[in-house]
Amino acid sequence: MQKSFRDKVLDFFYPARCPVCDNVLAVGESGICPECLTRIKYIREPKCCRCGKPLEEEEEFCGDCRGKKYAFLSGNALLLYDGSMQESIARFKYSGRREYAGIYAQQLYKRYHKWIEQIRPDALIPVPIHRSRLNKRGYNQAELIAVHLGKMMQAEVRTDLLMRVRKTKPQKELTAAERLKNLEDAFCPGSGREELNRLPECVIIIDDIYTTGSTMEACSRVLRSIGISKIYFLCVCIGSGS
């Protein structure tokens, strides 16, 4: 479909930027620039059957998932959380680069639409952030991704089933054990659980980063407590497995 004159004018005055390097793209272009496409690392096999972390050898589970039980069933991520993507996600979350959400969502859908069709989710649930962070930042980055992805999937985005009620320390500063402790009672069911015939059976939790899985597990436990039986997740980035 050809762009309208208005869209062409907007492209000229407000050109798109690559979400990885943040450089301005040529007029009319969008998405990840060709140079960054050669640098970023898409998640490929072999990977963990539970969390989707890339593995060096053909194994069923990564070191984080081996021998553990989770409230979620499984999940996938798009890219390895390395230096380039750490900077990209930081700009997305803290420097107002909301437009990255559409590109991340498009890439997620392109890579995992078959998996999504197999799961047949009733709804997408973005990981909520605390009200104080929302007021300071102005948006929830996970919700922005979920809204774009929901339009592509024609799936409902539910922000009324999960609430973040306790402000926690940044997870990146903590060990795996400290992360779990940090998230105790951080989430609770939202008001949507009280609506008759509105509780989804199968959901995909959406977030920007998956590291040890503590945030995903905390959210999944709350969703299971209100009766949601099938819980999966999708993230933009994930750490490496072992």
Side-chain angles (χ1 to χ4, degrees):
M1 181 179 8
Q2 289 188 342
K3 290 189 175 184
S4 66
F5 177 75
R6 177 179 177 277
D7 288 339
K8 290 180 180 178
V9 171
L10 289 174
D11 283 346
F12 182 80
F13 286 104
Y14 303 99
R17 291 177 177 270
C18 169
V20 181
C21 65
D22 202 44
N23 288 334
V24 173
L25 301 175
V27 174
E29 291 187 357
S30 62
I32 300 172
C33 74
E35 184 177 346
C36 286
L37 282 172
T38 66
R39 295 205 316 261
I40 57 176
K41 298 176 182 177
Y42 286 96
I43 304 302
R44 308 182 189 279
E45 298 288 352
K47 61 183 182 179
C48 177
C49 295
R50 180 58 58 82
C51 73
K53 283 185 179 178
L55 300 171
E56 293 183 2
E57 300 178 357
E58 288 285 352
E59 295 183 283
E60 189 173 6
F61 300 113
C62 69
D64 289 333
C65 294
R66 195 176 299 117
K68 294 182 182 178
K69 291 185 177 180
Y70 290 105
F72 59 84
L73 296 174
S74 66
N76 282 297
L78 181 68
L79 298 162
L80 184 67
Y81 191 50
D82 59 6
S84 295
M85 288 312 301
Q86 287 173 10
E87 293 177 6
S88 174
I89 294 294
R91 287 194 302 272
F92 177 43
K93 292 169 72 169
Y94 308 120
S95 298
R97 295 293 191 204
R98 303 186 192 201
E99 67 272 20
Y100 288 6
I103 302 171
Y104 292 148
Q106 187 178 51
Q107 289 276 318
L108 280 167
Y109 185 72
K110 181 179 179 180
R111 195 159 191 84
Y112 290 115
H113 69 276
K114 291 184 179 178
W115 179 74
I116 293 168
E117 289 169 1
Q118 290 175 346
I119 292 172
R120 299 177 64 185
D122 301 307
L124 304 181
I125 300 180
V127 172
I129 61 175
H130 191 264
R131 182 181 298 275
S132 62
R133 285 204 176 105
L134 182 62
N135 291 338
K136 182 178 180 180
R137 192 177 302 169
Y139 58 94
N140 175 1
Q141 71 280 357
E143 184 176 345
L144 293 182
I145 296 169
V147 168
H148 283 283
L149 193 57
K151 291 177 181 178
M152 298 172 198
M153 294 168 50
Q154 296 184 335
E156 186 176 22
V157 176
R158 297 289 299 270
T159 59
D160 60 340
L161 295 173
L162 190 62
M163 293 178 58
R164 192 160 197 151
V165 291
R166 187 168 66 82
K167 187 177 180 180
T168 55
K169 296 178 182 178
Q171 291 285 85
K172 63 182 179 180
E173 300 174 0
L174 307 175
T175 65
E178 289 171 339
R179 290 176 188 224
L180 286 172
K181 184 70 176 176
N182 187 44
L183 289 168
E184 284 183 3
D185 302 319
F187 302 96
C188 76
S191 60
R193 71 189 188 281
E194 300 170 358
E195 296 184 37
L196 294 176
N197 302 318
R198 286 279 291 153
L199 193 66
E201 178 183 354
C202 178
V203 301
I204 298 179
I205 301 175
I206 305 296
D207 206 2
D208 53 350
I209 309 165
Y210 182 107
T211 49
T212 63
S214 52
T215 299
M216 206 59 65
E217 176 65 7
C219 291
S220 298
R221 287 179 182 179
V222 172
L223 294 176
R224 277 198 174 275
S225 75
I226 64 174
I228 299 176
S229 58
K230 298 177 182 178
I231 303 168
Y232 300 88
F233 74 82
L234 267 178
C235 291
V236 177
C237 293
I238 197 166
S240 58
S242 59

Short mmCIF file of all heavy atoms in Angstrom, two decimals, residues 83-141:
data_model
loop_
_atom_site.label_atom_id
_atom_site.label_comp_id
_atom_site.label_asym_id
_atom_site.label_seq_id
_atom_site.Cartn_x
_atom_site.Cartn_y
_atom_site.Cartn_z
N GLY A 83 25.05 -6.52 24.43
CA GLY A 83 25.34 -5.10 24.53
C GLY A 83 24.44 -4.19 23.71
O GLY A 83 23.90 -3.21 24.22
N SER A 84 24.26 -4.52 22.43
CA SER A 84 23.44 -3.69 21.55
C SER A 84 22.00 -3.62 22.03
O SER A 84 21.39 -2.54 22.07
CB SER A 84 23.48 -4.22 20.12
OG SER A 84 24.78 -4.13 19.58
N MET A 85 21.46 -4.76 22.42
CA MET A 85 20.06 -4.79 22.84
C MET A 85 19.88 -4.22 24.25
O MET A 85 18.81 -3.70 24.57
CB MET A 85 19.52 -6.21 22.76
CG MET A 85 19.31 -6.68 21.33
SD MET A 85 18.40 -5.49 20.27
CE MET A 85 16.86 -5.31 21.18
N GLN A 86 20.89 -4.29 25.08
CA GLN A 86 20.82 -3.64 26.39
C GLN A 86 20.64 -2.14 26.22
O GLN A 86 19.83 -1.51 26.90
CB GLN A 86 22.07 -3.95 27.20
CG GLN A 86 22.13 -5.39 27.71
CD GLN A 86 23.47 -5.71 28.36
OE1 GLN A 86 24.29 -4.83 28.59
NE2 GLN A 86 23.70 -6.98 28.63
N GLU A 87 21.38 -1.57 25.28
CA GLU A 87 21.27 -0.14 25.01
C GLU A 87 19.92 0.19 24.39
O GLU A 87 19.29 1.21 24.71
CB GLU A 87 22.40 0.31 24.10
CG GLU A 87 23.79 0.22 24.73
CD GLU A 87 24.90 0.59 23.77
OE1 GLU A 87 24.58 1.03 22.65
OE2 GLU A 87 26.08 0.45 24.14
N SER A 88 19.46 -0.68 23.49
CA SER A 88 18.18 -0.47 22.83
C SER A 88 17.02 -0.49 23.82
O SER A 88 16.16 0.40 23.82
CB SER A 88 17.96 -1.55 21.76
OG SER A 88 16.67 -1.45 21.19
N ILE A 89 17.01 -1.49 24.69
CA ILE A 89 15.93 -1.60 25.67
C ILE A 89 15.98 -0.45 26.67
O ILE A 89 14.94 0.07 27.09
CB ILE A 89 16.02 -2.95 26.42
CG1 ILE A 89 15.75 -4.13 25.46
CG2 ILE A 89 15.04 -3.00 27.59
CD1 ILE A 89 14.34 -4.18 24.91
N ALA A 90 17.19 -0.01 27.02
CA ALA A 90 17.32 1.12 27.94
C ALA A 90 16.71 2.39 27.33
O ALA A 90 16.01 3.15 28.02
CB ALA A 90 18.79 1.36 28.29
N ARG A 91 16.96 2.64 26.05
CA ARG A 91 16.36 3.81 25.39
C ARG A 91 14.84 3.67 25.32
O ARG A 91 14.10 4.64 25.50
CB ARG A 91 16.93 3.97 23.98
CG ARG A 91 18.36 4.48 23.92
CD ARG A 91 18.73 4.92 22.51
NE ARG A 91 18.57 3.86 21.54
CZ ARG A 91 19.51 2.97 21.23
NH1 ARG A 91 20.70 3.04 21.82
NH2 ARG A 91 19.29 2.04 20.32
N PHE A 92 14.38 2.47 25.04
CA PHE A 92 12.95 2.19 24.94
C PHE A 92 12.25 2.48 26.27
O PHE A 92 11.17 3.08 26.30
CB PHE A 92 12.77 0.72 24.53
CG PHE A 92 11.35 0.25 24.45
CD1 PHE A 92 10.36 1.01 23.87
CD2 PHE A 92 11.01 -1.01 24.94
CE1 PHE A 92 9.05 0.56 23.77
CE2 PHE A 92 9.71 -1.48 24.85
CZ PHE A 92 8.73 -0.69 24.27
N LYS A 93 12.86 2.07 27.38
CA LYS A 93 12.24 2.20 28.68
C LYS A 93 12.43 3.58 29.32
O LYS A 93 11.52 4.09 29.97
CB LYS A 93 12.79 1.13 29.64
CG LYS A 93 12.39 -0.27 29.26
CD LYS A 93 13.14 -1.31 30.05
CE LYS A 93 12.72 -1.40 31.48
NZ LYS A 93 13.28 -2.59 32.17
N TYR A 94 13.62 4.17 29.15
CA TYR A 94 13.96 5.35 29.93
C TYR A 94 14.15 6.63 29.11
O TYR A 94 14.26 7.70 29.69
CB TYR A 94 15.24 5.08 30.73
CG TYR A 94 15.19 3.82 31.54
CD1 TYR A 94 16.10 2.78 31.32
CD2 TYR A 94 14.21 3.63 32.52
CE1 TYR A 94 16.05 1.61 32.07
CE2 TYR A 94 14.15 2.46 33.27
CZ TYR A 94 15.07 1.45 33.03
OH TYR A 94 15.01 0.30 33.76
N SER A 95 14.20 6.51 27.78
CA SER A 95 14.44 7.70 26.96
C SER A 95 13.30 8.01 26.00
O SER A 95 13.49 8.71 25.01
CB SER A 95 15.75 7.52 26.17
OG SER A 95 16.85 7.39 27.05
N GLY A 96 12.14 7.46 26.28
CA GLY A 96 10.95 7.83 25.54
C GLY A 96 10.83 7.29 24.14
O GLY A 96 10.02 7.80 23.34
N ARG A 97 11.59 6.28 23.78
CA ARG A 97 11.52 5.73 22.44
C ARG A 97 10.34 4.75 22.30
O ARG A 97 10.50 3.56 22.05
CB ARG A 97 12.82 5.01 22.08
CG ARG A 97 14.02 5.92 22.01
CD ARG A 97 13.89 6.88 20.86
NE ARG A 97 15.13 7.59 20.62
CZ ARG A 97 15.20 8.75 20.02
NH1 ARG A 97 14.09 9.35 19.63
NH2 ARG A 97 16.35 9.35 19.83
N ARG A 98 9.13 5.27 22.46
CA ARG A 98 7.93 4.44 22.40
C ARG A 98 7.77 3.76 21.04
O ARG A 98 7.18 2.69 20.94
CB ARG A 98 6.69 5.28 22.69
CG ARG A 98 6.71 6.01 24.00
CD ARG A 98 5.39 6.69 24.25
NE ARG A 98 5.47 7.62 25.37
CZ ARG A 98 4.40 8.02 26.06
NH1 ARG A 98 3.21 7.59 25.73
NH2 ARG A 98 4.55 8.86 27.06
N GLU A 99 8.28 4.42 20.00
CA GLU A 99 8.10 3.89 18.65
C GLU A 99 8.79 2.55 18.45
O GLU A 99 8.45 1.80 17.51
CB GLU A 99 8.58 4.90 17.60
CG GLU A 99 10.08 5.15 17.59
CD GLU A 99 10.55 6.25 18.52
OE1 GLU A 99 9.80 6.58 19.47
OE2 GLU A 99 11.67 6.76 18.32
N TYR A 100 9.73 2.21 19.31
CA TYR A 100 10.39 0.91 19.20
C TYR A 100 9.39 -0.23 19.37
O TYR A 100 9.59 -1.32 18.85
CB TYR A 100 11.48 0.75 20.27
CG TYR A 100 12.73 1.57 20.09
CD1 TYR A 100 12.86 2.51 19.08
CD2 TYR A 100 13.79 1.40 20.97
CE1 TYR A 100 14.02 3.25 18.94
CE2 TYR A 100 14.97 2.13 20.84
CZ TYR A 100 15.08 3.07 19.82
OH TYR A 100 16.23 3.80 19.69
N ALA A 101 8.35 0.00 20.14
CA ALA A 101 7.39 -1.06 20.48
C ALA A 101 6.79 -1.71 19.23
O ALA A 101 6.64 -2.93 19.17
CB ALA A 101 6.28 -0.50 21.36
N GLY A 102 6.45 -0.88 18.25
CA GLY A 102 5.84 -1.42 17.04
C GLY A 102 6.79 -2.31 16.26
O GLY A 102 6.38 -3.33 15.69
N ILE A 103 8.07 -1.95 16.25
CA ILE A 103 9.06 -2.75 15.52
C ILE A 103 9.33 -4.05 16.26
O ILE A 103 9.40 -5.12 15.66
CB ILE A 103 10.36 -1.94 15.34
CG1 ILE A 103 10.07 -0.64 14.58
CG2 ILE A 103 11.41 -2.78 14.59
CD1 ILE A 103 11.25 0.32 14.54
N TYR A 104 9.47 -3.97 17.59
CA TYR A 104 9.65 -5.18 18.38
C TYR A 104 8.48 -6.15 18.16
O TYR A 104 8.67 -7.35 17.97
CB TYR A 104 9.74 -4.85 19.87
CG TYR A 104 10.94 -4.08 20.33
CD1 TYR A 104 10.85 -3.19 21.40
CD2 TYR A 104 12.18 -4.23 19.72
CE1 TYR A 104 11.95 -2.49 21.85
CE2 TYR A 104 13.29 -3.53 20.17
CZ TYR A 104 13.16 -2.66 21.24
OH TYR A 104 14.25 -1.95 21.68
N ALA A 105 7.26 -5.60 18.22
CA ALA A 105 6.07 -6.44 18.07
C ALA A 105 6.02 -7.07 16.68
O ALA A 105 5.67 -8.26 16.54
CB ALA A 105 4.81 -5.60 18.31
N GLN A 106 6.34 -6.30 15.67
CA GLN A 106 6.33 -6.81 14.31
C GLN A 106 7.33 -7.96 14.15
O GLN A 106 7.04 -8.99 13.53
CB GLN A 106 6.66 -5.68 13.33
CG GLN A 106 6.50 -6.05 11.86
CD GLN A 106 6.79 -4.87 10.96
OE1 GLN A 106 7.82 -4.20 11.09
NE2 GLN A 106 5.87 -4.58 10.06
N GLN A 107 8.51 -7.79 14.74
CA GLN A 107 9.53 -8.83 14.68
C GLN A 107 9.10 -10.08 15.44
O GLN A 107 9.32 -11.21 14.99
CB GLN A 107 10.84 -8.29 15.26
CG GLN A 107 11.52 -7.26 14.39
CD GLN A 107 12.38 -7.87 13.29
OE1 GLN A 107 13.09 -8.83 13.52
NE2 GLN A 107 12.28 -7.33 12.10
N LEU A 108 8.49 -9.89 16.60
CA LEU A 108 7.99 -11.03 17.38
C LEU A 108 6.94 -11.81 16.61
O LEU A 108 6.96 -13.04 16.58
CB LEU A 108 7.41 -10.55 18.71
CG LEU A 108 8.40 -10.24 19.83
CD1 LEU A 108 7.71 -9.47 20.96
CD2 LEU A 108 9.01 -11.53 20.38
N TYR A 109 6.02 -11.07 16.00
CA TYR A 109 4.94 -11.73 15.26
C TYR A 109 5.49 -12.47 14.04
O TYR A 109 5.08 -13.60 13.74
CB TYR A 109 3.89 -10.72 14.83
CG TYR A 109 2.70 -11.37 14.17
CD1 TYR A 109 1.78 -12.09 14.92
CD2 TYR A 109 2.51 -11.27 12.79
CE1 TYR A 109 0.69 -12.71 14.31
CE2 TYR A 109 1.42 -11.88 12.19
CZ TYR A 109 0.53 -12.60 12.95
OH TYR A 109 -0.55 -13.21 12.34
N LYS A 110 6.42 -11.85 13.34
CA LYS A 110 7.00 -12.47 12.17
C LYS A 110 7.68 -13.79 12.51
O LYS A 110 7.58 -14.77 11.78
CB LYS A 110 8.00 -11.50 11.52
CG LYS A 110 8.67 -12.04 10.26
CD LYS A 110 9.63 -11.00 9.69
CE LYS A 110 10.32 -11.52 8.43
NZ LYS A 110 11.27 -10.50 7.88
N ARG A 111 8.36 -13.80 13.66
CA ARG A 111 9.13 -14.99 14.03
C ARG A 111 8.28 -16.07 14.70
O ARG A 111 8.55 -17.26 14.55
CB ARG A 111 10.27 -14.58 14.96
CG ARG A 111 11.33 -15.68 15.12
CD ARG A 111 12.63 -15.09 15.59
NE ARG A 111 13.72 -16.03 15.51
CZ ARG A 111 14.44 -16.27 14.42
NH1 ARG A 111 14.17 -15.62 13.31
NH2 ARG A 111 15.44 -17.13 14.44
N TYR A 112 7.25 -15.65 15.44
CA TYR A 112 6.53 -16.63 16.26
C TYR A 112 5.03 -16.74 15.95
O TYR A 112 4.28 -17.29 16.76
CB TYR A 112 6.71 -16.30 17.74
CG TYR A 112 8.12 -16.54 18.21
CD1 TYR A 112 8.93 -15.48 18.64
CD2 TYR A 112 8.67 -17.82 18.24
CE1 TYR A 112 10.23 -15.69 19.07
CE2 TYR A 112 9.97 -18.04 18.66
CZ TYR A 112 10.74 -16.98 19.08
OH TYR A 112 12.03 -17.20 19.50
N HIS A 113 4.60 -16.26 14.79
CA HIS A 113 3.16 -16.31 14.52
C HIS A 113 2.62 -17.74 14.44
O HIS A 113 1.49 -18.02 14.84
CB HIS A 113 2.81 -15.53 13.25
CG HIS A 113 3.31 -16.15 11.98
ND1 HIS A 113 4.60 -15.95 11.52
CD2 HIS A 113 2.71 -16.98 11.08
CE1 HIS A 113 4.76 -16.61 10.39
NE2 HIS A 113 3.64 -17.25 10.10
N LYS A 114 3.44 -18.68 13.95
CA LYS A 114 2.98 -20.07 13.89
C LYS A 114 2.82 -20.65 15.29
O LYS A 114 1.86 -21.39 15.56
CB LYS A 114 3.96 -20.91 13.06
CG LYS A 114 3.96 -20.57 11.58
CD LYS A 114 4.88 -21.49 10.80
CE LYS A 114 4.84 -21.15 9.32
NZ LYS A 114 5.77 -22.02 8.53
N TRP A 115 3.77 -20.35 16.15
CA TRP A 115 3.69 -20.79 17.55
C TRP A 115 2.46 -20.20 18.22
O TRP A 115 1.74 -20.88 18.95
CB TRP A 115 4.96 -20.38 18.28
CG TRP A 115 5.03 -20.74 19.74
CD1 TRP A 115 5.23 -21.97 20.27
CD2 TRP A 115 4.91 -19.83 20.84
NE1 TRP A 115 5.24 -21.89 21.65
CE2 TRP A 115 5.06 -20.59 22.02
CE3 TRP A 115 4.71 -18.45 20.94
CZ2 TRP A 115 5.00 -20.01 23.29
CZ3 TRP A 115 4.66 -17.87 22.21
CH2 TRP A 115 4.80 -18.65 23.36
N ILE A 116 2.21 -18.92 17.96
CA ILE A 116 1.04 -18.23 18.53
C ILE A 116 -0.25 -18.89 18.03
O ILE A 116 -1.19 -19.11 18.82
CB ILE A 116 1.07 -16.74 18.16
CG1 ILE A 116 2.24 -16.04 18.87
CG2 ILE A 116 -0.25 -16.06 18.55
CD1 ILE A 116 2.52 -14.64 18.36
N GLU A 117 -0.30 -19.22 16.75
CA GLU A 117 -1.50 -19.85 16.19
C GLU A 117 -1.74 -21.23 16.80
O GLU A 117 -2.89 -21.64 16.98
CB GLU A 117 -1.36 -19.97 14.67
CG GLU A 117 -1.45 -18.62 13.96
CD GLU A 117 -1.05 -18.71 12.49
OE1 GLU A 117 -0.71 -19.83 12.03
OE2 GLU A 117 -1.05 -17.66 11.82
N GLN A 118 -0.67 -21.93 17.13
CA GLN A 118 -0.81 -23.24 17.76
C GLN A 118 -1.36 -23.12 19.18
O GLN A 118 -2.19 -23.92 19.62
CB GLN A 118 0.53 -23.97 17.79
CG GLN A 118 1.02 -24.42 16.42
CD GLN A 118 2.42 -25.03 16.47
OE1 GLN A 118 3.13 -24.88 17.45
NE2 GLN A 118 2.81 -25.69 15.40
N ILE A 119 -0.89 -22.12 19.89
CA ILE A 119 -1.33 -21.91 21.27
C ILE A 119 -2.77 -21.39 21.34
O ILE A 119 -3.52 -21.74 22.22
CB ILE A 119 -0.39 -20.91 21.98
CG1 ILE A 119 0.98 -21.53 22.18
CG2 ILE A 119 -0.96 -20.46 23.32
CD1 ILE A 119 2.01 -20.56 22.68
N ARG A 120 -3.12 -20.53 20.39
CA ARG A 120 -4.46 -19.93 20.32
C ARG A 120 -4.81 -19.21 21.63
O ARG A 120 -5.78 -19.57 22.32
CB ARG A 120 -5.51 -20.99 19.99
CG ARG A 120 -5.29 -21.65 18.64
CD ARG A 120 -6.30 -22.74 18.37
NE ARG A 120 -7.65 -22.19 18.29
CZ ARG A 120 -8.75 -22.94 18.14
NH1 ARG A 120 -8.65 -24.26 18.08
NH2 ARG A 120 -9.93 -22.37 18.08
N PRO A 121 -4.06 -18.19 21.99
CA PRO A 121 -4.32 -17.49 23.25
C PRO A 121 -5.62 -16.69 23.21
O PRO A 121 -6.02 -16.17 22.17
CB PRO A 121 -3.12 -16.55 23.38
CG PRO A 121 -2.72 -16.28 21.95
CD PRO A 121 -2.95 -17.59 21.23
N ASP A 122 -6.25 -16.61 24.35
CA ASP A 122 -7.47 -15.80 24.47
C ASP A 122 -7.12 -14.33 24.72
O ASP A 122 -7.94 -13.45 24.43
CB ASP A 122 -8.33 -16.31 25.63
CG ASP A 122 -8.72 -17.76 25.46
OD1 ASP A 122 -9.27 -18.10 24.40
OD2 ASP A 122 -8.47 -18.56 26.39
N ALA A 123 -5.93 -14.09 25.27
CA ALA A 123 -5.56 -12.71 25.60
C ALA A 123 -4.05 -12.59 25.79
O ALA A 123 -3.36 -13.57 26.06
CB ALA A 123 -6.27 -12.26 26.87
N LEU A 124 -3.58 -11.35 25.65
CA LEU A 124 -2.19 -11.00 25.99
C LEU A 124 -2.23 -10.20 27.28
O LEU A 124 -3.09 -9.33 27.47
CB LEU A 124 -1.56 -10.14 24.88
CG LEU A 124 -1.56 -10.71 23.47
CD1 LEU A 124 -0.87 -9.73 22.52
CD2 LEU A 124 -0.89 -12.06 23.42
N ILE A 125 -1.27 -10.49 28.17
CA ILE A 125 -1.20 -9.78 29.44
C ILE A 125 0.19 -9.17 29.61
O ILE A 125 1.16 -9.90 29.82
CB ILE A 125 -1.51 -10.72 30.62
CG1 ILE A 125 -2.92 -11.30 30.48
CG2 ILE A 125 -1.36 -9.96 31.95
CD1 ILE A 125 -3.30 -12.25 31.60
N PRO A 126 0.32 -7.86 29.48
CA PRO A 126 1.64 -7.23 29.68
C PRO A 126 2.01 -7.24 31.16
O PRO A 126 1.15 -7.07 32.03
CB PRO A 126 1.43 -5.80 29.17
CG PRO A 126 -0.04 -5.55 29.32
CD PRO A 126 -0.71 -6.87 29.10
N VAL A 127 3.29 -7.45 31.45
CA VAL A 127 3.76 -7.37 32.83
C VAL A 127 3.55 -5.93 33.31
O VAL A 127 4.06 -4.98 32.70
CB VAL A 127 5.24 -7.76 32.93
CG1 VAL A 127 5.78 -7.48 34.34
CG2 VAL A 127 5.43 -9.24 32.59
N PRO A 128 2.82 -5.74 34.39
CA PRO A 128 2.56 -4.37 34.86
C PRO A 128 3.75 -3.76 35.58
O PRO A 128 4.60 -4.48 36.13
CB PRO A 128 1.38 -4.55 35.83
CG PRO A 128 1.51 -5.96 36.33
CD PRO A 128 2.11 -6.75 35.21
N ILE A 129 3.83 -2.45 35.58
CA ILE A 129 4.84 -1.74 36.35
C ILE A 129 4.13 -0.97 37.47
O ILE A 129 2.92 -0.72 37.39
CB ILE A 129 5.70 -0.78 35.49
CG1 ILE A 129 4.83 0.29 34.82
CG2 ILE A 129 6.47 -1.56 34.46
CD1 ILE A 129 5.65 1.32 34.05
N HIS A 130 4.87 -0.60 38.50
CA HIS A 130 4.28 0.09 39.63
C HIS A 130 3.80 1.49 39.22
O HIS A 130 4.38 2.11 38.31
CB HIS A 130 5.30 0.21 40.76
CG HIS A 130 4.72 0.67 42.05
ND1 HIS A 130 4.76 2.00 42.44
CD2 HIS A 130 4.08 -0.01 43.05
CE1 HIS A 130 4.17 2.11 43.63
NE2 HIS A 130 3.76 0.91 44.01
N ARG A 131 2.76 1.95 39.88
CA ARG A 131 2.17 3.25 39.53
C ARG A 131 3.19 4.38 39.56
O ARG A 131 3.18 5.27 38.71
CB ARG A 131 1.02 3.57 40.50
CG ARG A 131 0.31 4.88 40.18
CD ARG A 131 -0.79 5.15 41.18
NE ARG A 131 -1.80 4.10 41.13
CZ ARG A 131 -2.82 4.10 40.28
NH1 ARG A 131 -2.94 5.09 39.41
NH2 ARG A 131 -3.71 3.13 40.30
N SER A 132 4.12 4.35 40.51
CA SER A 132 5.11 5.41 40.61
C SER A 132 6.01 5.44 39.38
O SER A 132 6.37 6.52 38.88
CB SER A 132 5.95 5.24 41.88
OG SER A 132 6.66 4.02 41.85
N ARG A 133 6.40 4.25 38.89
CA ARG A 133 7.23 4.19 37.69
C ARG A 133 6.42 4.60 36.46
O ARG A 133 6.94 5.24 35.55
CB ARG A 133 7.79 2.78 37.51
CG ARG A 133 8.92 2.46 38.48
CD ARG A 133 9.83 1.36 37.96
NE ARG A 133 10.95 1.16 38.87
CZ ARG A 133 11.06 0.13 39.71
NH1 ARG A 133 10.11 -0.78 39.74
NH2 ARG A 133 12.11 0.01 40.49
N LEU A 134 5.15 4.22 36.43
CA LEU A 134 4.30 4.59 35.31
C LEU A 134 4.14 6.11 35.24
O LEU A 134 4.21 6.71 34.16
CB LEU A 134 2.92 3.92 35.45
CG LEU A 134 1.93 4.18 34.33
CD1 LEU A 134 2.45 3.66 33.00
CD2 LEU A 134 0.58 3.53 34.65
N ASN A 135 3.94 6.74 36.38
CA ASN A 135 3.79 8.20 36.42
C ASN A 135 5.07 8.90 35.98
O ASN A 135 5.04 9.92 35.29
CB ASN A 135 3.42 8.66 37.83
CG ASN A 135 2.01 8.25 38.22
OD1 ASN A 135 1.18 7.99 37.35
ND2 ASN A 135 1.74 8.18 39.51
N LYS A 136 6.22 8.35 36.38
CA LYS A 136 7.50 8.95 36.03
C LYS A 136 7.83 8.74 34.56
O LYS A 136 8.28 9.65 33.86
CB LYS A 136 8.60 8.35 36.90
CG LYS A 136 9.98 8.94 36.66
CD LYS A 136 11.02 8.33 37.59
CE LYS A 136 12.39 8.93 37.34
NZ LYS A 136 13.42 8.34 38.25
N ARG A 137 7.61 7.51 34.06
CA ARG A 137 7.99 7.15 32.69
C ARG A 137 6.94 7.59 31.68
O ARG A 137 7.25 7.93 30.54
CB ARG A 137 8.20 5.64 32.62
CG ARG A 137 8.87 5.15 31.35
CD ARG A 137 9.09 3.65 31.44
NE ARG A 137 9.91 3.29 32.61
CZ ARG A 137 10.07 2.05 33.04
NH1 ARG A 137 9.46 1.05 32.43
NH2 ARG A 137 10.83 1.81 34.09
N GLY A 138 5.68 7.52 32.09
CA GLY A 138 4.58 7.90 31.19
C GLY A 138 3.99 6.75 30.41
O GLY A 138 2.97 6.93 29.73
N TYR A 139 4.56 5.59 30.49
CA TYR A 139 4.06 4.43 29.77
C TYR A 139 4.67 3.15 30.33
O TYR A 139 5.72 3.19 30.97
CB TYR A 139 4.37 4.53 28.27
CG TYR A 139 5.85 4.67 27.95
CD1 TYR A 139 6.63 3.55 27.65
CD2 TYR A 139 6.47 5.92 27.92
CE1 TYR A 139 7.99 3.68 27.36
CE2 TYR A 139 7.81 6.06 27.63
CZ TYR A 139 8.57 4.94 27.35
OH TYR A 139 9.92 5.06 27.06
N ASN A 140 3.98 2.06 30.06
CA ASN A 140 4.50 0.73 30.39
C ASN A 140 4.99 0.11 29.09
O ASN A 140 4.21 -0.14 28.18
CB ASN A 140 3.39 -0.13 31.01
CG ASN A 140 3.82 -1.57 31.25
OD1 ASN A 140 4.96 -1.95 30.98
ND2 ASN A 140 2.91 -2.37 31.76
N GLN A 141 6.29 -0.13 28.99
CA GLN A 141 6.87 -0.61 27.73
C GLN A 141 6.29 -1.96 27.31
O GLN A 141 6.10 -2.21 26.11
CB GLN A 141 8.40 -0.69 27.84
CG GLN A 141 8.95 -1.80 28.71
CD GLN A 141 8.91 -1.48 30.19
OE1 GLN A 141 8.53 -0.39 30.59
NE2 GLN A 141 9.31 -2.45 30.99
#
